Amino acid sequence: MTHLPYLIAAFAVFLLVLACDALGSWLRLRSARQLAQRRQQRLQARGNASASAPLATELSR
């Protein structure tokens, strides 16, 4: 009686779950980096726009 098929199946399932976990983590990290980069670009654009347009000293109606 050999347990080889069971061991192969168990290791295959383990490696599949490990690969899925690694891929999910990589995708979440990539998404977070993209969001942070977009946020940084928006903040820089907002800072450049407000710096180039001086504020009016008088109120207008």
Side-chain angles (χ1 to χ4, degrees):
M1 184 168 152
T2 178
H3 297 289
L4 188 61
Y6 170 77
L7 289 174
I8 291 172
F11 278 114
V13 169
F14 169 73
L15 289 176
L16 180 66
V17 170
L18 187 66
C20 289
D21 186 43
L23 181 64
S25 296
W26 181 75
L27 289 173
R28 278 190 302 274
L29 184 60
R30 185 176 141 200
S31 175
R33 283 182 183 151
Q34 288 175 348
L35 287 173
Q37 185 177 21
R38 287 187 202 133
R39 185 180 302 124
Q40 184 66 28
Q41 288 173 350
R42 281 195 311 268
L43 289 174
Q44 285 177 352
R46 187 182 303 160
N48 291 342
S50 64
S52 65
L55 296 175
T57 55
E58 295 182 13
L59 295 176
S60 63
R61 290 188 174 189

